[in-house]
Amino acid sequence: MNILILGGGGREHALAWAIARSPDCGKLICAPGNAGIAAVARCVPADIENPAAVIALCRAEDIDFVVIGPEAPLAAGVSDALREAGIAAFGPSRAAAQLEASKTFAKQICDACGAPTAAWARFEDPEAAKAHVRASGAPIVIKADGLAAGKGVVVAATEDEALAAIDEMFAGAFGAAGAAVVIEEFMPGEEASLFVLTDGEHVLPLPGAQDHKRAFDGDKGPNTGGMGAYSPAPALTPEIERRAIDEIVLPTIREMARRGAPYRGVLYAGLMIGPSGPRLVEYNARFGDPECQVLMMRLAGDILPALRACAEGGLEGVRLDWRPEPALTVVMAAKGYPGAYAKGEEIRGLEAAAADPDVEIFHAGTRAENGRILSNGGRVLNVTARGATLAEARAKAYEAIARIDWPGGFCRSDIGWRALSR
């Protein structure tokens, strides 16, 4: 099969790396890709949020199957257009992707199907939102209603912090995503990420993972798109996973089908695991980034048949094999991220850093120029390792980071601390 992957981040590099190993993979193209993806796929420029442009690329390259990595093309209806053009695609329809594109929609689905989640309210007026905060008290959670690249969430410890977040969102800090806000009760507990593949009827759970959203050690600082992740996640026990699937995921899948918008693709349920069991924090309509990187490092078999079954049906007959060894990834970001940061800085030492066969460096924000690798984003590298234990995987990842020469980068030094402190 000739395959096109849409996206250019660490998640897409991990998917390209896994798909390239499939015996069914013929020509592999990534749009737009990055300097790391170019080692396993041909990278081409394209407007991946423009359905017509994506279809034109598929026609020109004789593409049989498209894997949509990020959320923006899903919200733009790219998967719908591909299917209408007769091109198989992995990724939910625009209607189904509203589970991520609209916090309000996701909450309404939870209410309709009885999935446990935080109490919530939606506001389009900042003063009404502030009045709700004052009446509710803190801690409290403020979310931009739309897509904000994983950063439109403020877990406010004080009322003043919540009020400031409301002002920031309505002032346009997250663009159109903050035209409305969803305010939720604070849920105590430990977060974990549950991923399932689904063809709209059947589900195939993937191993659990846990990521680190805050920018700095000790889970301090602003929320980011993710500073590291590991798998498995000790908090996601078999019992918690079963309850999350039975009480949250399957009711959601059935409610989406009932509404005529069957969900096909990967569904990412962010869970808060507290004394009463799992509750939904939010849904994402694609693989998590950087959770996808640790999942692909643990994959022992061929991912492609499962991705195709999501698009074409028949997932109930598919299984995936996983390595028992844990995996951990550390994100190297440009100094200043998630605020302002520099681009175009040379990164050296990558070959030496990846010399260990249990280490892979998945590129996120990089570009190649005259034989050099340059930074080209906020989150730039995902240094990922496997080990006999999580502690060994972590040690290998940080040993690799020590070999990377990039003065303009930084990373957290405590990825995996929750699991290792148990």
Side-chain angles (χ1 to χ4, degrees), residues 25-37:
C25 179
K27 180 166 63 175
L28 182 60
I29 295 173
C30 189
N34 61 42
I37 294 173

Side-chain angles (χ1 to χ4, degrees), residues 229-232 293-295 297-298 323-331 353 356-361 382-403 412-417 419-420:
Y230 55 92
S231 174
Q293 289 83 309
V294 291
L295 292 179
M297 278 294 280
R298 295 190 64 205
R323 295 174 180 267
E325 301 98 328
L328 180 142
T329 189
V330 181
V331 171
D356 188 324
D358 286 329
V359 171
E360 291 290 337
I361 299 176
N382 308 135
V383 182
T384 311
R386 282 190 304 262
T389 63
L390 186 63
E392 182 177 294
R394 178 163 117 160
K396 288 183 177 185
Y398 282 111
E399 286 168 8
I401 287 170
R403 298 187 180 101
R412 284 182 54 164
S413 66
D414 64 345
I415 300 302
W417 73 266
L420 292 171

Side-chain angles (χ1 to χ4, degrees), residues 13 21 63 96 108 135 191 197 202 237 243 251 278 284 317 325 388 393 404 415:
H13 189 179
R21 294 181 293 169
I63 296 297
Q108 290 171 340
E191 283 196 61
L197 298 179
H202 307 95
T237 64
R243 285 189 58 185
N284 289 315
E325 301 98 328
I404 295 173
I415 300 302

Side-chain angles (χ1 to χ4, degrees), residues 332-344:
M332 293 193 73
K335 288 179 179 176
Y337 174 82
Y341 52 84
K343 293 183 180 181

Side-chain angles (χ1 to χ4, degrees), residues 95-121:
Q98 287 184 90
L99 283 174
E100 176 171 8
S102 169
K103 302 290 192 300
T104 299
F105 180 82
K107 287 292 190 179
Q108 290 171 340
I109 292 292
C110 287
D111 289 349
C113 70
T117 187
W120 66 285

Side-chain angles (χ1 to χ4, degrees), residues 25-312:
C25 179
K27 180 166 63 175
L28 182 60
I29 295 173
C30 189
N34 61 42
I37 294 173
V40 292
R42 179 160 60 87
C43 297
V44 299
D47 181 357
I48 65 172
E49 296 177 36
N50 181 332
V54 174
I55 290 171
L57 176 60
C58 290
R59 300 290 191 219
E61 297 288 352
D62 195 25
I63 296 297
D64 301 299
F65 186 52
V66 179
V67 176
I68 302 173
E71 61 273 21
L74 298 171
V78 169
S79 64
D80 305 73
L82 287 166
R83 292 184 183 103
E84 289 169 9
I87 302 167
F90 174 81
S93 66
R94 174 161 44 191
Q98 287 184 90
L99 283 174
E100 176 171 8
S102 169
K103 302 290 192 300
T104 299
F105 180 82
K107 287 292 190 179
Q108 290 171 340
I109 292 292
C110 287
D111 289 349
C113 70
T117 187
W120 66 285
R122 180 182 189 272
F123 299 93
E124 296 181 4
D125 174 67
E127 294 309 314
K130 290 179 181 180
H132 180 79
V133 166
R134 294 188 183 102
S136 301
I140 197 164
V141 181
I142 316 296
K143 296 181 177 181
D145 185 55
L147 294 175
K151 295 187 285 290
V153 177
V154 174
V155 181
T158 66
E159 286 188 23
D160 285 346
E161 190 179 350
L163 299 177
I166 291 168
D167 283 336
E168 183 182 30
M169 290 182 189
F170 279 107
F174 302 107
V181 301
V182 170
I183 301 180
E184 299 181 358
E185 68 166 313
F186 173 79
M187 293 188 293
E190 185 171 350
E191 283 196 61
S193 303
L194 173 64
F195 298 87
V196 302
L197 298 179
T198 176
D199 58 7
E201 180 181 2
H202 307 95
V203 299
L204 176 62
L206 308 184
Q210 192 169 64
D211 76 336
H212 297 261
K213 288 294 186 193
R214 300 282 190 159
F216 309 127
D217 285 8
D219 291 331
K220 306 295 184 184
N223 268 334
T224 71
M227 293 300 292
Y230 55 92
S231 174
L236 196 62
T237 64
E239 170 64 13
I240 292 294
E241 179 183 301
R242 183 194 61 77
R243 285 189 58 185
I245 290 172
D246 290 346
E247 299 171 17
I248 300 172
V249 172
L250 285 174
T252 297
I253 296 294
R254 293 172 186 138
E255 178 65 17
M256 294 299 291
R258 188 188 70 79
R259 295 184 178 214
Y263 190 99
R264 301 184 181 99
V266 60
L267 184 61
Y268 166 4
L271 305 175
M272 184 64 73
I273 301 166
S276 63
R279 299 170 76 188
L280 182 74
V281 176
E282 63 184 18
Y283 277 126
N284 289 315
R286 34 68 187 182
F287 280 105
D289 186 343
E291 295 100 327
C292 183
Q293 289 83 309
V294 291
L295 292 179
M296 293 305 103
M297 278 294 280
R298 295 190 64 205
L299 181 69
D302 186 353
I303 191 70
L304 194 53
L307 301 183
R308 291 181 59 192
C310 291
E312 301 165 3

